[in-house]
Amino acid sequence: MTTLQDCRALDAQDPLAPLRAHFSLPEGVIYLDGNSLGVLPRATAARVADVVTREWGQDLIKSWNSAGWVSMPQRLGNQLAPLIGAGTNEVVCTDSTSINLYKVLSAALSIAREDSPARRRVVSERSNFPTDLYIAEGLCKERGLELVLVEPEDIGAALTDDVAVLMLTHVNYRTGAMHDMAAITAAAHAAGILCVWDLAHSAGAVPVDLRGADADFSIGCGYKYLNGGPGAPAFVWVNPRHANRFWQPLSGWFGHAAPFQFTPDYQPAAGITRYLCGTQPMISLSALQCGLDVFDAAQPLGGMAALRTKSLALSDLFIRLVEERCDGFGLGLATPRAHAQRGSQVCLTRDEGAGIDGQGSGAYAIVQALIARNVIGDFRKGDGGTGRHKDILRFGFTPLYVGFEDVWNAVEHLRQVLAGAEWQRPEFNQQHAVT
Amino acid sequence: MTTLQDCRALDAQDPLAPLRAHFSLPEGVIYLDGNSLGVLPRATAARVADVVTREWGQDLIKSWNSAGWVSMPQRLGNQLAPLIGAGTNEVVCTDSTSINLYKVLSAALSIAREDSPARRRVVSERSNFPTDLYIAEGLCKERGLELVLVEPEDIGAALTDDVAVLMLTHVNYRTGAMHDMAAITAAAHAAGILCVWDLAHSAGAVPVDLRGADADFSIGCGYKYLNGGPGAPAFVWVNPRHANRFWQPLSGWFGHAAPFQFTPDYQPAAGITRYLCGTQPMISLSALQCGLDVFDAAQPLGGMAALRTKSLALSDLFIRLVEERCDGFGLGLATPRAHAQRGSQVCLTRDEGAGIDGQGSGAYAIVQALIARNVIGDFRKGDGGTGRHKDILRFGFTPLYVGFEDVWNAVEHLRQVLAGAEWQRPEFNQQHAVT
């Protein structure tokens, strides 16, 4: 049996432990929701204040040049690139994940179908994050194409010669299951299909090698593991072999070859800059930069490889402790045990009918009871027993700021919530809008 | 002749003078570039700091509910609505102007062409702000339609029965000329054409009555006269008669009827909410809110009507002083004298060949020399004498924080720059990227 002392010993030996000091964590909170909204880096408040009061307030319009505002999306893109296996000048930080997906999926479809007009399908995973599916649905409708949704085990069989683009999220938001990006991309390419990868739950969480996997297009989120703040700008990567072939449809002036020439006709900038659209948000981008700076600080401590080692150690520990200490309460494991198939979160299930008076799973109430104890995870609803998706208790393990004793304490709170039937209190069973 | 004392008397009588205290203006700067980047409201730094350190840093994911993050775009939209003659729940603040234009132009084209598929043209003004033209060009190319660009005097004749959408910017960014929104919209509607209005240089600058003009779609900018900060979120308005008819193509989860149900298929929210796409940027939206708050403070002082009166008085004064005191230096007036045709900026021209050794107009160097004297306007390049567009010296007059003595001082600096040939110094004649 694992003990609290074992966990403390792991913290004492953790070479990444100093990184926690880069964050401003609320006192007494065990935050296991960095997969939804990352925490505040300690440097962000001062940086944002400087952008607001000096760059904007004092220097005003001059800051487009003097503070380097005009190239912020590219500079942050270059800072982010090593985390996702991208090269220099291949990434820009801009807009939202959904908007960036629209850009790359548009471009991918244009390229794939120029070569092979008979390819009329986009394949994705049925449990992909919904906004990805909504964007794909809209684009397919607009272009008279078909969106085909499959279960993960059926992806291989779905790669037929009428498919233009395979669009997947690398790590599943509900289960934490991670795809083999290189193998799937290779299979897709062998079938003449382009691959779009959403790295929302990967960038900053697991090592990603877009170049190594020879991926085609990729987008991802700035406010989860990159700690860029609520609604932070997202990012876009395009394989250089595609970058100059098409321009994405959101052809605004920041993607123009010479935006300050104010010419009436659009000439796309070379490379990834054409994936910018309108004027870029400087306060938000500056906050995101502080999130990326922490990864620079992690570099001498081993970088993404060391972060991955710790992340797996944390999630392994969580799984082990739940199984050792919360047995008999109807919990199951939705996240794969195999390291190669696991992102940086662990998702527990609870059986339908395990809730109060046999209603529902009780998973929502358990998460609420944990939140009341300052253990922050989140709940994702299942399909109510009608299909393969159970209700989910979701816990993200961000190795930048989560320690091994945190994991012990989280499981101990979970045990107490379950053993004392605390989750059955009425206040934890009133559902309202949650993210 | 107008005197400095006259200007001081105007300031002393100005009922809006107290509004200047709502802004944090750099010491000694006369800022006439609020049409490019508005200045920093005094409340913004503290509000942004609170969002960063408390709402994000302390309350983390809970703030989506507890701080009302989830409804920020709609709340700010309702706060903005009175400035543009929109009703409640008809506006959202989100994304960039360019992206919002893509949304509304897409929807407008879908609606117009569903009713009349033979309408295959989008008409706009050749000197519309380029990003608007780039977005329209991209959409037309994507849908096999034609973008027709005309001079302002030819708009009426261009409203033929093959036109689907007329897309105009209300106040021209180069000249400050303002269209008659009601008359043009009526003419377009009489020809069966839908109208999209860009309010980038109107919202917060001149009274706008979208409902009164019976406009169809509108978008605008948050970082100019609304003082939302560099790259602030923009806004979208859709006439309620169109809002539920189509969904715009950027169909992300924040525009879904039930985003937190995580259903795989897209069901657009009712009304304007469907014009949202991805996760919204809370730090930027909070900064924009502080800009909008100043307009709330202006309400008891007479609101937009009083601001308009002062704006016209400021720009009238500027024109008069330039003509009285800077005669003989080759300056001309690009902005209409008629109040009904003028926005909140005055644009001066300078003849081609008036620059050093007869090269260019010298307008760029004059603007640089003014900036060195802390009089901030900006330069917009003409067509080099090949067509109708001369080089422009652009001066925005934001009645919230610009006073009449500021106008006197700005013109006096301009006179000195011209009279002393200060603008001919080499350092003012080296061009680099400017916004």
PDB file of all heavy atoms in Angstrom, chain B residues 207-220:
ATOM      1  N   PRO B 207     -23.118  59.533 -33.431  1.00  0.00           N
ATOM      2  CA  PRO B 207     -24.343  58.787 -33.143  1.00  0.00           C
ATOM      3  C   PRO B 207     -24.670  57.859 -34.328  1.00  0.00           C
ATOM      4  O   PRO B 207     -24.542  58.271 -35.484  1.00  0.00           O
ATOM      5  CB  PRO B 207     -25.408  59.881 -32.999  1.00  0.00           C
ATOM      6  CG  PRO B 207     -24.646  61.146 -32.750  1.00  0.00           C
ATOM      7  CD  PRO B 207     -23.357  60.990 -33.499  1.00  0.00           C
ATOM      8  N   VAL B 208     -25.033  56.655 -34.012  1.00  0.00           N
ATOM      9  CA  VAL B 208     -25.391  55.682 -35.048  1.00  0.00           C
ATOM     10  C   VAL B 208     -26.757  55.128 -34.684  1.00  0.00           C
ATOM     11  O   VAL B 208     -27.032  54.889 -33.509  1.00  0.00           O
ATOM     12  CB  VAL B 208     -24.363  54.525 -35.101  1.00  0.00           C
ATOM     13  CG1 VAL B 208     -24.788  53.475 -36.124  1.00  0.00           C
ATOM     14  CG2 VAL B 208     -22.968  55.040 -35.409  1.00  0.00           C
ATOM     15  N   ASP B 209     -27.586  54.929 -35.670  1.00  0.00           N
ATOM     16  CA  ASP B 209     -28.922  54.393 -35.420  1.00  0.00           C
ATOM     17  C   ASP B 209     -29.203  53.244 -36.379  1.00  0.00           C
ATOM     18  O   ASP B 209     -29.887  53.386 -37.385  1.00  0.00           O
ATOM     19  CB  ASP B 209     -29.962  55.504 -35.573  1.00  0.00           C
ATOM     20  CG  ASP B 209     -31.344  55.068 -35.071  1.00  0.00           C
ATOM     21  OD1 ASP B 209     -31.477  53.908 -34.602  1.00  0.00           O
ATOM     22  OD2 ASP B 209     -32.281  55.880 -35.146  1.00  0.00           O
ATOM     23  N   LEU B 210     -28.650  52.099 -36.034  1.00  0.00           N
ATOM     24  CA  LEU B 210     -28.799  50.923 -36.907  1.00  0.00           C
ATOM     25  C   LEU B 210     -30.264  50.543 -37.089  1.00  0.00           C
ATOM     26  O   LEU B 210     -30.706  50.261 -38.202  1.00  0.00           O
ATOM     27  CB  LEU B 210     -28.025  49.736 -36.319  1.00  0.00           C
ATOM     28  CG  LEU B 210     -26.506  49.824 -36.394  1.00  0.00           C
ATOM     29  CD1 LEU B 210     -25.866  48.747 -35.516  1.00  0.00           C
ATOM     30  CD2 LEU B 210     -26.014  49.677 -37.841  1.00  0.00           C
ATOM     31  N   ARG B 211     -31.012  50.542 -35.980  1.00  0.00           N
ATOM     32  CA  ARG B 211     -32.435  50.206 -36.060  1.00  0.00           C
ATOM     33  C   ARG B 211     -33.187  51.252 -36.871  1.00  0.00           C
ATOM     34  O   ARG B 211     -34.008  50.904 -37.719  1.00  0.00           O
ATOM     35  CB  ARG B 211     -33.006  50.141 -34.642  1.00  0.00           C
ATOM     36  CG  ARG B 211     -32.655  48.873 -33.906  1.00  0.00           C
ATOM     37  CD  ARG B 211     -33.574  47.755 -34.358  1.00  0.00           C
ATOM     38  NE  ARG B 211     -33.762  46.795 -33.280  1.00  0.00           N
ATOM     39  CZ  ARG B 211     -34.899  46.163 -33.032  1.00  0.00           C
ATOM     40  NH1 ARG B 211     -35.969  46.385 -33.768  1.00  0.00           N
ATOM     41  NH2 ARG B 211     -34.981  45.299 -32.058  1.00  0.00           N
ATOM     42  N   GLY B 212     -32.884  52.525 -36.594  1.00  0.00           N
ATOM     43  CA  GLY B 212     -33.561  53.604 -37.311  1.00  0.00           C
ATOM     44  C   GLY B 212     -33.289  53.553 -38.808  1.00  0.00           C
ATOM     45  O   GLY B 212     -34.169  53.862 -39.620  1.00  0.00           O
ATOM     46  N   ALA B 213     -32.063  53.180 -39.165  1.00  0.00           N
ATOM     47  CA  ALA B 213     -31.701  53.073 -40.582  1.00  0.00           C
ATOM     48  C   ALA B 213     -32.180  51.748 -41.184  1.00  0.00           C
ATOM     49  O   ALA B 213     -32.039  51.536 -42.387  1.00  0.00           O
ATOM     50  CB  ALA B 213     -30.191  53.195 -40.747  1.00  0.00           C
ATOM     51  N   ASP B 214     -32.688  50.865 -40.330  1.00  0.00           N
ATOM     52  CA  ASP B 214     -33.141  49.542 -40.768  1.00  0.00           C
ATOM     53  C   ASP B 214     -32.013  48.755 -41.436  1.00  0.00           C
ATOM     54  O   ASP B 214     -32.226  48.025 -42.412  1.00  0.00           O
ATOM     55  CB  ASP B 214     -34.344  49.673 -41.716  1.00  0.00           C
ATOM     56  CG  ASP B 214     -35.075  48.343 -41.852  1.00  0.00           C
ATOM     57  OD1 ASP B 214     -35.082  47.574 -40.874  1.00  0.00           O
ATOM     58  OD2 ASP B 214     -35.605  48.075 -42.950  1.00  0.00           O
ATOM     59  N   ALA B 215     -30.799  48.914 -40.905  1.00  0.00           N
ATOM     60  CA  ALA B 215     -29.655  48.174 -41.451  1.00  0.00           C
ATOM     61  C   ALA B 215     -29.852  46.679 -41.254  1.00  0.00           C
ATOM     62  O   ALA B 215     -30.727  46.255 -40.485  1.00  0.00           O
ATOM     63  CB  ALA B 215     -28.371  48.634 -40.774  1.00  0.00           C
ATOM     64  N   ASP B 216     -29.068  45.889 -41.971  1.00  0.00           N
ATOM     65  CA  ASP B 216     -29.201  44.440 -41.885  1.00  0.00           C
ATOM     66  C   ASP B 216     -28.173  43.809 -40.944  1.00  0.00           C
ATOM     67  O   ASP B 216     -28.517  43.003 -40.081  1.00  0.00           O
ATOM     68  CB  ASP B 216     -29.102  43.842 -43.286  1.00  0.00           C
ATOM     69  CG  ASP B 216     -30.235  44.319 -44.178  1.00  0.00           C
ATOM     70  OD1 ASP B 216     -31.385  43.932 -43.905  1.00  0.00           O
ATOM     71  OD2 ASP B 216     -29.981  45.125 -45.092  1.00  0.00           O
ATOM     72  N   PHE B 217     -26.910  44.144 -41.167  1.00  0.00           N
ATOM     73  CA  PHE B 217     -25.825  43.580 -40.359  1.00  0.00           C
ATOM     74  C   PHE B 217     -24.825  44.699 -40.065  1.00  0.00           C
ATOM     75  O   PHE B 217     -24.655  45.620 -40.878  1.00  0.00           O
ATOM     76  CB  PHE B 217     -25.090  42.466 -41.120  1.00  0.00           C
ATOM     77  CG  PHE B 217     -25.931  41.268 -41.429  1.00  0.00           C
ATOM     78  CD1 PHE B 217     -26.704  41.214 -42.583  1.00  0.00           C
ATOM     79  CD2 PHE B 217     -25.942  40.177 -40.571  1.00  0.00           C
ATOM     80  CE1 PHE B 217     -27.472  40.098 -42.881  1.00  0.00           C
ATOM     81  CE2 PHE B 217     -26.716  39.056 -40.856  1.00  0.00           C
ATOM     82  CZ  PHE B 217     -27.485  39.016 -42.010  1.00  0.00           C
ATOM     83  N   SER B 218     -24.143  44.552 -38.931  1.00  0.00           N
ATOM     84  CA  SER B 218     -23.119  45.548 -38.635  1.00  0.00           C
ATOM     85  C   SER B 218     -22.034  44.942 -37.750  1.00  0.00           C
ATOM     86  O   SER B 218     -22.304  44.016 -36.968  1.00  0.00           O
ATOM     87  CB  SER B 218     -23.748  46.754 -37.937  1.00  0.00           C
ATOM     88  OG  SER B 218     -22.771  47.717 -37.673  1.00  0.00           O
ATOM     89  N   ILE B 219     -20.849  45.446 -37.913  1.00  0.00           N
ATOM     90  CA  ILE B 219     -19.710  45.052 -37.082  1.00  0.00           C
ATOM     91  C   ILE B 219     -18.920  46.315 -36.777  1.00  0.00           C
ATOM     92  O   ILE B 219     -19.130  47.355 -37.401  1.00  0.00           O
ATOM     93  CB  ILE B 219     -18.811  44.030 -37.799  1.00  0.00           C
ATOM     94  CG1 ILE B 219     -18.431  44.539 -39.206  1.00  0.00           C
ATOM     95  CG2 ILE B 219     -19.504  42.686 -37.937  1.00  0.00           C
ATOM     96  CD1 ILE B 219     -17.051  44.945 -39.395  1.00  0.00           C
ATOM     97  N   GLY B 220     -18.037  46.212 -35.804  1.00  0.00           N
ATOM     98  CA  GLY B 220     -17.198  47.367 -35.502  1.00  0.00           C
ATOM     99  C   GLY B 220     -16.086  47.005 -34.555  1.00  0.00           C
ATOM    100  O   GLY B 220     -15.980  45.856 -34.099  1.00  0.00           O
TER     101      GLY B 220
END
